[in-house]
Amino acid sequence: MLGLIPLIRFSLLFAITPILISTSGCTHQHSKSKTLAYTHTIPYPTIDTGLGEKLQPNESILAEQIAEQIGQSIRQQYRTGHALRDAHPKAHGCVRAEFHVSKSLPSNLAKGVFIPDQSYSAWIRFSNASGDATQADNKKDARGMAIKILGVTGKKIMENDNQATTQDFIMINHPVFFVNEPQRYLSFIEDVNSKSMLKKLKIPFTLGFQGTLNAVKASNSKISNPIQVRYWSMVPYQLGLGADRQAVKYSARPCNPNSITIPNKPNHDFLRETLRKNLETSDACMEFLIQPRTTNKMLVEDSMTEWKESEAPFFQLATIHIPKQIFDTPEQNKFCENLSFTPWHSLPEHRPLGAINRLRKVIYEKISTIRHEMNDVLKQEPQ
């Protein structure tokens, strides 16, 4: 069936698992018990009806069930070895960066970390989305960009990390997600993890026409360089607090796009090699963009429909400067492997919106905890 093979290969788990960077920064030690991920309850998010959020039936229960399904898959797959992320396990590199907020930012966008002319240190992790960490880089796949901004003061909304000094932004090189409903997402996860080929053949019917189309488009890209790609948040976020808060989406793109041809016979890890060679000789620059919602018809609960730029334009919010550096070292790769990313590492001014983001709060935290426990690694945010 059209699109089935890339669907299964990609596993379509890219937006429900953390896009992770270097070692994370919690201030507390987790027990090494293999069952800890299910011993404490993560409060399910409340909704903001003023911005159009609507709870779906049994959302919190479905979030737990999805996390359980993915957790079982990780435990089974890595029962005798080092546990990797269930999605985005293959990094092209984890790089140091500076996130500089535009000096002339208008007041309606100058919220939270977006303080005009403010600079932050950051880590950025570029990755393939496929759950197969051995996949060659010339295969079609979605690509991820995860940003962890450091030195962000203020209480965060993730209860387990509310004193962390980080703010995460997670993006994919495709503007929309492939599902809106938690029940449909759970059914999809069950089909993907099933040993029955009949169940796997059912995936396009589980997702429906639009979901399957979005999934195939997302997993159908080939890139030549991770820093020469445009990325999108796919799902919406709150900007600001109080009566003037609004719904927005984010994007990142190269400051100076260059057409780079993929080699005829690329090496297995050519995206890492390209990024390494690029940053050994020169700096890189990316623009961080924001897309304020311009009409309530742009639903925060609909992550499958793009907010058209002709109706809701993007504005440059910040510049990401990636200095010349040597990042591909055993120490930095290990640091990158142990990082955790979640949109809920966030100030209240940047609260995630919509069902997919609400699911993420429970799923990302539990899956990250499982992975760190299996690897006997402290789960903490970087300082």
Side-chain angles (χ1 to χ4, degrees), residues 126-298:
F126 297 100
S127 61
N128 286 340
S130 171
D132 179 7
T134 66
Q135 176 176 280
D137 288 347
N138 67 334
K139 298 291 185 181
K140 292 181 178 180
D141 196 1
R143 319 290 167 166
M145 177 185 184
I147 306 170
K148 186 176 290 290
I149 297 175
L150 309 180
V152 179
T153 59
K155 189 174 181 179
K156 308 305 184 296
I157 52 180
M158 176 61 83
E159 293 83 359
N160 294 344
D161 280 330
N162 61 14
Q163 297 303 312
T165 56
T166 54
Q167 169 76 45
D168 293 357
F169 295 102
I170 299 174
M171 293 176 284
I172 296 288
N173 67 327
H174 191 66
V176 290
F177 198 46
F178 61 90
V179 69
N180 283 328
E181 304 90 354
Q183 181 59 64
R184 191 184 292 268
Y185 208 144
L186 176 61
S187 298
F188 164 73
I189 298 294
E190 291 172 340
D191 291 347
V192 167
N193 290 336
S194 174
K195 295 179 181 179
S196 166
M197 183 51 66
L198 287 176
K199 277 272 195 179
K200 294 185 185 298
L201 289 170
K202 183 173 157 278
I203 289 174
F205 299 99
T206 298
L207 293 180
F209 175 78
Q210 188 60 50
T212 300
L213 185 63
N214 286 3
V216 171
K217 286 182 177 179
S219 60
N220 204 37
S221 70
K222 285 188 176 183
I223 68 171
S224 58
N225 188 336
I227 54 178
Q228 287 294 327
V229 178
R230 185 169 179 183
Y231 301 88
W232 290 266
S233 66
M234 297 195 297
V235 288
Y237 294 84
Q238 178 175 315
L239 179 67
L241 298 172
D244 65 346
R245 71 194 186 284
Q246 58 184 314
V248 302
K249 290 184 179 180
Y250 299 110
S251 181
R253 66 187 179 195
C255 296
N256 300 297
N258 292 320
S259 295
I260 303 174
T261 304
I262 298 174
N264 289 330
K265 295 183 179 180
N267 292 331
H268 188 273
D269 302 321
F270 87 92
L271 289 175
R272 174 177 283 268
E273 293 174 7
T274 299
L275 185 62
R276 182 177 63 236
K277 291 176 182 177
N278 196 144
L279 293 180
E280 281 177 352
T281 58
S282 61
D283 295 358
C285 173
M286 299 188 77
E287 297 173 347
F288 188 80
L289 312 173
I290 189 169
Q291 183 186 34
R293 181 172 63 170
T294 55
T295 169
N296 288 338
K297 293 181 180 179
M298 298 174 176

Side-chain angles (χ1 to χ4, degrees), residues 90-121:
K90 184 178 182 180
H92 308 312
C94 189
V95 302
R96 292 178 292 104
E98 180 189 72
F99 188 96
H100 182 77
V101 182
S102 299
K103 186 176 182 178
S104 58
L105 198 65
S107 59
N108 67 313
L109 300 180
K111 311 291 183 182
V113 299
F114 305 137
I115 301 169
D117 208 25
Q118 177 74 37
S119 290
Y120 303 90
S121 295

Side-chain angles (χ1 to χ4, degrees), residues 284-345:
C285 173
M286 299 188 77
E287 297 173 347
F288 188 80
L289 312 173
I290 189 169
Q291 183 186 34
R293 181 172 63 170
T294 55
T295 169
N296 288 338
K297 293 181 180 179
M298 298 174 176
L299 305 176
V300 298
E301 295 292 347
D302 181 5
S303 59
M304 296 172 64
T305 303
E306 185 175 3
W307 294 1
K308 294 182 180 180
E309 293 191 47
S310 59
E311 300 175 10
F314 278 92
F315 302 95
Q316 184 173 349
L317 194 67
T319 300
I320 300 169
H321 175 238
I322 305 175
K324 184 170 67 173
Q325 60 189 275
I326 296 174
F327 68 84
D328 196 8
T329 66
E331 296 78 15
Q332 192 152 315
N333 290 335
K334 182 179 179 181
F335 172 75
C336 185
E337 175 61 25
N338 290 329
L339 278 183
S340 294
F341 290 89
T342 170
W344 294 87
H345 281 154

Side-chain angles (χ1 to χ4, degrees), residues 30-85:
H30 285 283
S31 160
K32 296 177 183 177
S33 163
K34 300 300 185 187
T35 59
L36 178 63
Y38 302 107
T39 60
H40 49 231
T41 300
I42 299 168
Y44 200 71
T46 57
I47 62 169
D48 187 336
T49 56
L51 289 179
E53 285 194 291
K54 297 179 181 179
L55 274 176
Q56 298 188 35
N58 302 315
E59 254 192 48
S60 61
I61 296 172
L62 291 167
E64 296 284 346
Q65 291 175 343
I66 294 168
E68 177 71 20
Q69 285 274 337
I70 299 175
Q72 288 179 0
S73 177
I74 292 173
R75 293 185 189 282
Q76 177 66 24
Q77 182 176 0
Y78 300 110
R79 62 188 182 280
T80 59
H82 184 81
L84 302 176
R85 298 165 175 82

